[in-house]
């Protein structure tokens, strides 16, 4: 493809930092770069603790362990999300309870959550789709009144805010992804954000195979031993070094992406005004991070035609999630509470256009030109 859907971010400093790790023989987990990354996020988001992990999937699995999720518990989330959001809780024996999304943001409909709560409910997992925040004030209020934990899937939400607060720092726990398809990358990687001190010590132990090795290294305990069930959720410092180069350029990357997003939005507005497509919506209280630019076609068939048209012109667009409740595992491990008014219908007509840090204006303009051609719009 001449214009790819995604090109992983690269700033130029990554290799120098990885080289530094190798030369200093500091390549295992929790080295100097991991500490720098953690501090960077703590400062940026205001959380008590950030713990770099091997993926957002693993950060979510850690969250499920910390939340004490067990057989028979219920966890509420949208069905329009990545499998990892659900898997982490299914692995602990929970039943997933999906509720419908809002058609405007593709985020969980905060007004449908309360009716899905039962005495077995333990947590709500909002997913900030496209880096646009869910209606967090409403969600936090529901959680407080029902004594539930809120675990934010902020995989796509790095650098985005809701009412001035960083996505991932509002709920009890937040999960970031640094997969190569995300705004900032370390190949594979993620982070667990802990808003307050409550879960910090336990999280450190779980991440280090269930031992208190980290506390021992800090001189907080005088013996290093097995404390509780855990796993190996810490990445090599070489990956952390790669990410650090990008964090140092975080504003530059974010601004470049926002420029692309705004350029798409301006150029495609006439098509929306003509009623041919729909454009993304960002609520006033949300500052997004241009994680993606999507449009909505009339229906599945029209989207199929557009995908074929763009692909035929060497441009790679991408549809997105097949709703989890309709998948093989979803049928087994989940229920959809209430009516699926929007989840399936909206997911079938959403199309993501090429979006990445170094996307050029020329390439972006060509994508727009081809979309207009497909709709015979001039
Ligand atoms: C990317 C993504 C994940 C998984 O992230 P990994 O770091 O690849 O494990 C989870 N949830 C959402 C919403 C994502 O977009």
């Amino acid at each position: 493809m001449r214009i790819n859907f995604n090109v992983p971010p690269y700033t130029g400093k990554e290799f120098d930092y990885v080289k530094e790790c190798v030369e200093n023989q500091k390549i295992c987990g929790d080295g100097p770069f991991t500490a720098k990354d953690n501090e960077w996020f703590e400062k940026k988001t205001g959380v008590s603790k950030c713990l770099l992990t091997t993926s957002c999937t693993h950060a979510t699995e850690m969250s499920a362990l910390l939340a004490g999720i067990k057989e028979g518990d219920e966890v509420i989330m949208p069905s329009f999300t990545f499998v990892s959001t659900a898997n982490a809780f299914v692995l602990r024996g929970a039943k997933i309870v999906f509720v419908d999304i809002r058609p405007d943001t593709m985020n969980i409909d905060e007004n449908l959550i309360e009716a899905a709560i039962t005495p077995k409910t333990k947590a709500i997992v909002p997913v900030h789709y496209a880096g646009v925040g869910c209606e967090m004030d409403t969600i936090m209020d529901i959680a407080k009144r029902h004594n539930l934990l809120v675990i934010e899937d902020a995989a796509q939400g790095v650098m985005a805010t809701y009412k001035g607060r960083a996505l991932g720092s509002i709920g009890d726990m937040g999960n970031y992804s640094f997969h190569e398809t995300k705004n900032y990358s370390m190949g594979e990687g993620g982070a667990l954000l802990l808003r307050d001190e409550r879960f910090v010590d336990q999280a450190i132990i779980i991440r280090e195979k269930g031992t208190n090795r980290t506390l021992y290294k800090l001189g907080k305990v005088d013996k290093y031993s097995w404390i509780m069930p855990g796993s190996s959720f810490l990445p090599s410092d070489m990956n952390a070094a790669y990410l650090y180069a990008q964090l140092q350029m975080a504003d530059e990357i974010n601004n470049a992406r926002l420029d692309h997003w705004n350029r798409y939005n301006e150029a495609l507005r006439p098509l929306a005004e003509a009623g041919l497509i729909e454009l993304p919506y960002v609520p006033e209280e949300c500052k997004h991070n241009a994680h993606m630019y999507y449009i909505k076609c009339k229906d599945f068939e029209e989207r199929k035609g557009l995908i074929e048209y763009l692909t035929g012109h060497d441009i790679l667009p991408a549809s997105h999630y097949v709703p989890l409740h309709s998948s093989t595992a979803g049928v087994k491990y989940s229920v959809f509470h209430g009516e699926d008014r929007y989840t399936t219908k909206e997911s079938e007509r959403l199309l993501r256009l090429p979006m990445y840090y170094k996307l050029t204006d020329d390439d972006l303009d060509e994508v727009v030109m081809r979309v207009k051609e497909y709709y015979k719009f001039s």
Side-chain angles (χ1 to χ4, degrees):
M1 285 292 153
R2 207 187 66 71
I3 305 179
N4 261 304
F5 173 69
N6 177 59
V7 176
Y10 185 72
T11 68
K13 275 279 199 152
E14 287 86 344
F15 198 64
D16 292 341
Y17 290 163
V18 173
K19 195 158 163 258
E20 200 178 312
C21 289
V22 176
E23 282 172 355
N24 294 338
Q25 303 262 289
K26 289 201 164 141
I27 58 171
C28 72
D30 277 336
F33 282 104
T34 301
K36 282 181 188 175
D37 292 341
N38 288 340
E39 261 170 49
W40 192 92
F41 284 109
E42 284 158 13
K43 221 170 138 194
K44 188 87 195 164
T45 67
V47 295
S48 293
K49 193 77 198 158
C50 170
L51 293 168
L52 209 63
T53 59
T54 29
S55 64
C56 179
T57 300
H58 276 166
T60 314
E61 286 177 28
M62 281 185 71
S63 301
L65 280 162
L66 285 167
I69 301 296
K70 57 185 188 323
E71 195 79 34
D73 288 347
E74 294 178 3
V75 177
I76 297 174
M77 65 180 68
S79 172
F80 184 68
T81 185
F82 189 58
V83 290
S84 298
T85 323
N87 258 332
F89 301 95
V90 169
L91 281 168
R92 308 253 59 83
K95 180 169 93 181
I96 307 300
V97 178
F98 294 122
V99 301
D100 210 5
I101 52 167
R102 294 164 44 149
D104 58 356
T105 57
M106 303 300 283
N107 283 335
I108 191 165
D109 186 336
E110 64 278 4
N111 296 314
L112 301 176
I113 293 172
E114 201 148 17
I117 294 173
T118 75
K120 291 178 176 172
T121 308
K122 290 285 149 55
I124 305 170
V125 187
V127 180
H128 305 296
Y129 188 70
V132 174
C134 296
E135 190 11 65
M136 290 307 290
D137 276 356
T138 308
I139 293 170
M140 293 310 292
D141 175 63
I142 295 168
K144 197 170 167 199
R145 283 188 286 105
H146 294 270
N147 197 25
L148 305 175
L149 290 170
V150 174
I151 300 164
E152 298 176 71
D153 182 333
Q156 303 173 11
V158 180
M159 294 284 282
T161 60
Y162 166 86
K163 296 190 177 173
R165 298 156 74 195
L167 301 187
S169 75
I170 305 165
D172 301 274
M173 306 171 204
N175 305 310
Y176 280 166
S177 173
F178 308 117
H179 184 258
E180 70 162 32
T181 52
K182 300 303 199 290
N183 294 23
Y184 309 92
S185 179
M186 52 197 268
E188 300 280 352
L192 170 69
L193 303 185
L194 298 169
R195 187 190 60 209
D196 41 49
E197 290 292 330
R198 181 174 167 200
F199 294 107
V200 173
D201 285 353
Q202 245 189 39
I204 290 172
I205 292 168
I206 287 173
R207 181 165 162 275
E208 269 278 26
K209 297 95 180 165
T211 73
N212 57 358
R213 181 165 183 262
T214 305
L215 299 176
Y216 171 73
K217 280 200 300 192
L218 293 171
K220 280 193 181 177
V221 290
D222 55 14
K223 259 192 298 200
Y224 151 36
S225 68
W226 187 25
I227 307 295
M228 61 187 287
S231 192
S232 185
F233 291 121
L234 73 172
S236 156
D237 216 47
M238 290 187 286
N239 294 66
Y242 196 98
L243 178 66
Y244 192 61
Q246 303 191 2
L247 297 183
Q248 288 187 312
M249 302 256 296
D251 285 315
E252 192 167 337
I253 293 173
N254 197 45
N255 289 336
R257 296 187 74 110
L258 285 166
D259 283 347
H260 304 331
W261 197 99
N262 291 328
R263 194 177 179 89
Y264 267 131
N265 214 44
E266 283 307 307
L268 291 169
R269 183 167 299 143
L271 270 86
E273 281 166 2
L276 294 168
I277 60 170
E278 283 169 42
L279 304 183
Y281 165 73
V282 181
E284 191 124 12
E285 56 276 18
C286 297
K287 265 215 180 94
H288 72 101
N289 58 1
H291 173 61
M292 71 174 77
Y293 191 85
Y294 68 77
I295 61 172
K296 283 185 188 168
C297 305
K298 185 165 69 32
D299 55 23
F300 181 82
E301 284 305 314
E302 192 180 281
R303 182 183 72 175
K304 190 162 166 261
L306 179 54
I307 293 171
E308 280 165 13
Y309 191 78
L310 293 176
T311 312
H313 285 94
D314 250 5
I315 296 167
L316 192 64
S319 56
H320 217 178
Y321 311 124
V322 173
L324 296 182
H325 71 282
S326 60
S327 65
T328 307
V331 169
K332 208 164 155 191
Y333 299 112
S334 72
V335 292
F336 196 102
H337 184 272
E339 191 194 340
D340 171 11
R341 275 181 77 192
Y342 297 114
T343 300
T344 301
K345 188 172 141 241
E346 299 300 302
S347 71
E348 286 181 344
R349 62 196 196 96
L350 181 146
L351 189 68
R352 296 176 292 161
L353 301 178
M355 168 61 88
Y356 48 90
Y357 170 41
K358 296 261 172 81
L359 179 65
T360 65
D361 284 352
D362 283 352
D363 284 355
L364 190 154
D365 292 346
E366 190 180 322
V367 176
V368 169
M369 192 253 301
R370 296 300 182 192
V371 172
K372 285 183 172 170
E373 259 176 22
Y374 175 72
Y375 283 98
K376 300 187 169 48
F377 185 89
S378 52

